[in-house]
């Protein structure tokens, strides 16, 4: 059975944390009833995107993994017999937090976790304040539906991360995401940003000959700082092993986006486009340098 | 002066080698008269794409660099006061050949050469028969119009190559190319291939925050083997530092495509998208492995 039925859950979130969880649990149930065996949620889906400001008090949102919060999602995976990708603000120790994606097996066990390796820090995305960069590296997670290369949001701009997951045997790249527009930006800039975001992720499918799932949130979230805010742009999508768009969501609506992934196409595409055959690993050594000229 | 006026020369070629050269020289003149200071030709632009078959006799097409053939292009660069990127079948020694891009300075001197590092070998693209993989590595070439990251065709599928050029200080990535459709492929496959080719190159602009120029040939070239042949798909294009399309050619016509590159945008874009800031060089070591699981 090489066709994997997946579902991308694109949601808006509010300050009512329990309502966010209930909304996700309902979507998981609905996706499973529609036949999904892999369900992917967006980044930090239990709260508003709190990194718009630097506030030590917001670290109270962080939870242990496993813990009571992730147990609710583990139970949803088990009850609905789906492999589930969630994303949490992980409290590893007092004062030590990560942005962590978690994969639950269809029996509710924790298949693995990925701690976001590339951490952004830009106006309205002050993630370096909250999250210690991941220390687990880039490793695909084995599940009953295949080997999953889980990466998170800012990671999506780094071809190195996608490549390492492919070299680790990943059969699909999965990007839980929270990205949106600055409402003050001109329309042309907004379009360039959205197109770049789609393009770079489709390119990971192309370069590595495997499908990509990217799940973003929707909705406007005002900034606690009082002005600005983020218009999350949705557009969750699935691309096939040649980068072709298989499914895509709207910019503004809550949606469950189903997609069938033909995992047998990975090898078919890699036979006609044998990029992995020809990598010049003898000449790639400087990729571990910050810059070359100094 | 941060705006660089460039021109992409998209041509069809025939078995009349001298006519091919004369056509390129005329285009260089025309582009310079229109204001171009950088002119880019497509891959192996002095002959038909001879790699459709494996024929030792075709190695007679190879020429020394510098040599009488490249001298004609050096003179064109000098006479027209343009920096010129050409692409040649290099004869380095008897039985030792490369697919080599050459940069001529606007005074006709040889600014540098790049020997194609990733060599394809697919039906109708039997390049491994002709070309020894490059041994000069990935190094940007300094010129009077900026530092040029020259890569060739198959290299365009490798994010590693683009990244190394960016880390070497390249201000623009340049891909002389010869790629086309198998006339026997269905239309949907042709479109996937073209889109993938555009997507992966735009992604190099996005990932590295710099412009990309890609120059392909046009025209149908029958296979000397008697059936098949390649319909070169043109679509030469320029992308800006966010991957946005700045200019693009048709699929079938000889064209000189002008484009203005604002090199100051490199730093502007990298300030809002500081991807180079956050690379996890501590975790990229396995990029020099062929595969990870064995």
């Amino acid at each position: 059975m090489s066709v994997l039925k997946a579902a991308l859950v694109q949601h808006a979130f509010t300050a009512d944390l329990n309502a966010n969880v209930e909304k996700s649990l309902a979507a998981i149930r609905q996706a499973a009833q529609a036949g999904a065996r892999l369900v992917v949620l967006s980044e930090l889906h239990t709260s508003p995107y709190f990194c718009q400001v630097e506030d030590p008090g917001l670290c109270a949102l962080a939870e242990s993994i496993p813990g009571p919060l992730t147990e609710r999602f583990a139970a949803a995976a088990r009850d609905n017999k789906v492999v589930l990708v969630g994303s949490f603000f992980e409290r590893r120790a007092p004062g030590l937090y990560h942005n962590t994606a978690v994969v639950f097996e269809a029996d509710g066990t924790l298949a693995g976790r990925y701690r976001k390796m590339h951490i952004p820090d830009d106006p309205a995305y002050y993630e370096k304040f909250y999250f210690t960069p991941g220390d687990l590296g880039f490793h695909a997670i084995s599940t009953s539906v295949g080997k999953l290369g889980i990466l998170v949001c800012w990671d999506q701009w780094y071809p190195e991360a996608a490549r390492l997951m492919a070299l680790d045997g990943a059969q699909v790249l999965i990007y839980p995401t929270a990205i949106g527009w600055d409402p003050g930006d001109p329309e042309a800039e907004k379009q360039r940003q959205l197109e770049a975001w789609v393009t770079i992720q489709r390119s990971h499918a192309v370069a590595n000959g495997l499908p990509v799932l990217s799940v973003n949130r929707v909705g406007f979230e005002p900034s606690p700082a009082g002005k600005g805010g983020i218009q999350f742009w949705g557009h969750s999508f699935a691309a096939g092993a040649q980068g072709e768009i298989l499914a895509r969501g709207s910019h503004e609506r809550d949606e469950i986006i189903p997609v069938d992934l033909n995992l047998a196409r990975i090898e078919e595409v890699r036979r006609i486009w044998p990029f992995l055959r020809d990598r010049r690993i003898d000449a790639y050594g400087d990729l571990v340098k910050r810059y070359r000229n100094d």
Side-chain angles (χ1 to χ4, degrees), chain A:
Chain A
M1 161 89 166
S2 63
V3 173
L4 168 57
K5 293 183 93 64
L8 321 184
V9 179
Q10 171 176 293
H11 276 172
F13 303 108
T14 71
D16 184 338
L17 306 186
N18 190 58
N20 295 331
V21 173
E22 290 295 340
K23 186 172 169 177
S24 293
L25 298 182
I28 295 163
R29 197 158 52 238
Q30 191 180 331
Q33 282 165 356
R37 299 177 58 228
L38 170 66
V39 179
V40 182
L41 306 177
S42 63
E43 187 182 14
L44 300 169
H45 49 77
T46 58
S47 70
Y49 180 73
F50 53 88
C51 312
Q52 289 202 60
V53 292
E54 298 194 359
D55 176 355
L58 289 171
C59 293
L61 290 167
E63 306 246 7
S64 297
I65 301 173
L69 179 64
T70 61
E71 279 311 312
R72 296 178 73 180
F73 288 90
R78 184 182 63 240
D79 294 347
N80 295 289
K81 298 185 176 57
V82 296
V83 172
L84 175 64
V85 179
S87 163
F88 302 93
F89 185 10
E90 179 184 10
R91 181 179 182 275
R92 188 174 179 182
L96 180 59
Y97 311 98
H98 295 282
N99 184 329
T100 301
V102 176
V103 180
F104 303 100
E105 200 25 285
D107 62 4
T109 55
L110 202 156
R113 78 181 77 188
Y114 166 79
R115 292 190 178 124
K116 187 174 181 175
M117 291 284 284
H118 301 95
I119 304 294
D121 197 275
D122 303 300
Y125 299 83
Y126 298 105
E127 295 198 17
K128 287 194 199 296
F129 176 74
Y130 294 100
F131 309 127
T132 293
D135 58 351
L136 298 177
F138 303 99
H139 296 283
I141 295 173
S142 293
T143 76
S144 58
V145 298
K147 220 169 163 186
L148 310 183
I150 311 289
L151 295 161
V152 176
C153 204
W154 193 239
D155 292 322
Q156 63 211 173
W157 302 100
Y158 293 84
E160 293 93 339
R163 179 71 93 203
L164 286 166
M165 287 296 189
L167 297 181
D168 207 50
Q171 293 172 287
V172 52
L173 297 178
I174 298 176
Y175 293 92
T177 295
I179 192 169
W181 289 300
D182 175 343
D185 271 340
E187 198 54 39
E189 174 64 20
K190 290 179 181 175
Q191 283 310 309
R192 279 196 298 273
Q193 292 183 5
L194 172 63
E195 267 203 58
W197 178 79
V198 172
T199 298
I200 192 80
Q201 292 179 92
R202 291 178 68 187
S203 84
H204 302 326
V206 173
N208 298 291
L210 44 64
V212 168
L213 306 179
S214 182
V215 186
N216 191 21
R217 65 173 66 192
V218 289
F220 177 74
E221 298 186 16
S223 171
K227 59 172 188 164
I230 302 175
Q231 181 69 48
F232 291 96
W233 68 45
H235 203 103
S236 303
F237 72 94
Q242 290 177 301
E244 74 278 18
I245 298 292
L246 300 176
R248 105 179 86 199
S250 67
H251 290 312
E252 70 288 1
R253 289 192 309 278
D254 280 0
E255 286 180 75
I256 299 173
I257 303 151
V259 62
D260 287 355
L261 301 178
N262 178 0
L263 299 185
R265 272 199 83 232
I266 296 172
E267 187 153 357
E268 290 169 22
V269 168
R270 288 182 182 176
R271 286 182 188 179
I272 63 162
W273 288 351
F275 307 140
L276 293 185
R277 182 190 64 190
D278 293 331
R279 294 177 67 243
R280 288 297 303 271
I281 55 175
D282 60 307
Y284 290 167
D286 282 357
L287 289 170
V288 301
K289 291 193 178 170
R290 184 66 64 206
Y291 202 66
R292 251 181 168 179
N293 294 339
D294 49 35

